[in-house]
Amino acid sequence: MKILAVDDEYLQLESLKIAIKCASKNCELFAFDNPVEAWEFAKDNDIDIAFLDIQMPVINGIELAKRLKTKNPVINIVFATAYLDFMAEANKLRYSGYVLKPVTAEKVIEELNDLRHPMDKKQTGNRLSVQCFGNFDVFYDGVPLKFDRSKTKELFAFLVDRRGSRVSVNEIVCNLWEDSFNDDKNNNYVRKLISDLKKVLASINEEDVFVSDFNSYGVNINKFDCDYYDYLNNEPWAIRMFRGEYMSQYSWAENTT
């Protein structure tokens, strides 16, 4: 486990380092009192967890967190600060924790035991991973997968939700356009979305994820990682990760929630 600690105040940084090492003796700890140097280091190194002060010169903790998440979207950000004033802004980043100073080993242990992206997630070798808890998102080698149409992404989400069961075009229309059952216009649009999804998956050589037969469509659940599937399989990391939010941007997902 690789941990980054950043605080521009020397004594606070030393206190943070001691707390982290007491809480996790086997971690690799990289500590910086300069956020610019911390970012330069993080650009070339993989970091699992970052403990960040917020009020720092040149690059504050919020900005540094944003940059770290562009490098690694599933990095765990824990803000270590003396103030509560920044919680609303920090919340937009879907941070893992918010610790008030003084930081103690007990506080660090609490955060390590309740990470937003747990370190004990099983390793499967799949390069494609799907996040259902919170907002739905798709990652390839840890980088968000781009969809030209938001509806294509929603189609993929709907197929993931069905866990490999085949669905018809009419079923897709009925769920993605709740008031338009068997609408010819939307039926034709779904077929365009299917073609678009195939292209997106083909662009990363993951065509086998999408399956179809006799005008019904689904996904091969063995070809990608998914927090929802791991939750159903009683994986501890996935159980801890679920916080009551599932594909939050889609109203049809409320039934699964």
Side-chain angles (χ1 to χ4, degrees):
M1 180 165 55
K2 297 181 179 180
I3 299 179
L4 180 71
V6 188
D7 196 313
D8 65 312
E9 296 183 20
Y10 174 78
L11 292 179
Q12 296 288 355
L13 181 61
E14 288 300 305
S15 177
L16 179 59
K17 286 164 58 179
I18 292 171
I20 293 172
K21 291 302 290 184
C22 287
S24 181
K25 293 180 173 59
N26 296 321
C27 75
E28 294 183 65
L29 178 60
F30 308 95
F32 295 87
D33 60 6
N34 184 320
V36 176
E37 293 179 1
W39 169 236
E40 290 300 318
F41 173 82
K43 285 194 295 186
D44 298 320
N45 294 274
D46 294 327
I47 301 296
D48 300 308
I49 308 167
F51 285 83
L52 309 177
D53 184 27
I54 292 182
Q55 288 191 312
M56 296 186 291
V58 186
I59 303 176
N60 65 31
I62 299 293
E63 177 59 30
L64 179 56
K66 291 178 181 178
R67 296 188 185 191
L68 291 172
K69 286 180 74 68
T70 63
K71 169 70 166 46
N72 176 13
V74 294
I75 188 173
N76 290 287
I77 300 293
V78 179
F79 292 108
T81 177
Y83 307 98
L84 289 172
D85 307 40
F86 304 99
M87 288 193 72
E89 188 174 1
N91 193 49
K92 298 176 183 177
L93 294 170
R94 305 186 70 81
Y95 63 90
S96 180
Y98 198 101
V99 179
L100 290 179
K101 295 177 180 179
V103 180
T104 64
E106 289 75 15
K107 291 180 181 179
V108 173
I109 289 172
E110 287 181 5
E111 296 304 324
L112 296 181
N113 287 336
D114 192 30
L115 293 172
R116 187 173 192 87
H117 304 288
M119 295 296 98
D120 58 346
K121 180 178 179 180
K122 68 176 183 178
Q123 301 299 315
T124 64
N126 287 325
R127 302 176 70 181
L128 187 68
S129 62
V130 170
Q131 171 188 296
C132 296
F133 297 160
N135 281 337
F136 177 80
D137 219 332
V138 187
F139 302 91
Y140 186 70
D141 285 344
V143 178
L145 190 61
K146 293 182 179 179
F147 294 83
D148 291 334
R149 295 184 175 94
S150 61
K151 218 63 177 174
T152 302
K153 184 176 180 179
E154 184 176 0
L155 169 62
F156 189 36
F158 181 68
L159 297 179
V160 169
D161 179 77
R162 290 303 183 264
R163 289 185 286 149
S165 296
R166 304 296 192 269
V167 296
S168 66
V169 169
N170 286 344
E171 287 178 276
I172 295 171
V173 170
C174 187
N175 283 273
L176 271 60
W177 292 272
E178 296 177 355
D179 299 324
S180 303
F181 180 74
N182 201 23
D183 181 278
D184 287 340
K185 180 179 179 181
N186 285 331
N187 284 0
N188 291 331
Y189 188 46
V190 165
R191 291 184 172 86
K192 291 181 180 179
L193 296 180
I194 290 171
S195 176
D196 192 32
L197 179 57
K198 288 180 178 179
K199 290 179 182 178
V200 172
L201 294 172
S203 70
I204 54 172
N205 298 314
E206 295 286 354
E207 300 96 324
D208 292 345
V209 169
F210 182 84
V211 293
S212 61
D213 47 41
F214 302 110
N215 293 318
S216 61
Y217 309 94
V219 291
N220 185 337
I221 63 174
N222 297 314
K223 294 294 185 178
F224 58 92
D225 296 336
C226 178
D227 51 4
Y228 171 42
Y229 298 168
D230 284 345
Y231 178 94
L232 296 178
N233 288 328
N234 293 315
E235 293 286 347
W237 79 269
I239 292 172
R240 291 200 303 273
M241 192 172 179
F242 180 60
R243 301 181 181 183
E245 296 180 335
Y246 172 84
M247 296 191 185
S248 301
Q249 69 266 55
Y250 305 131
S251 60
W252 50 260
E254 292 176 1
N255 290 332
T256 301
T257 307

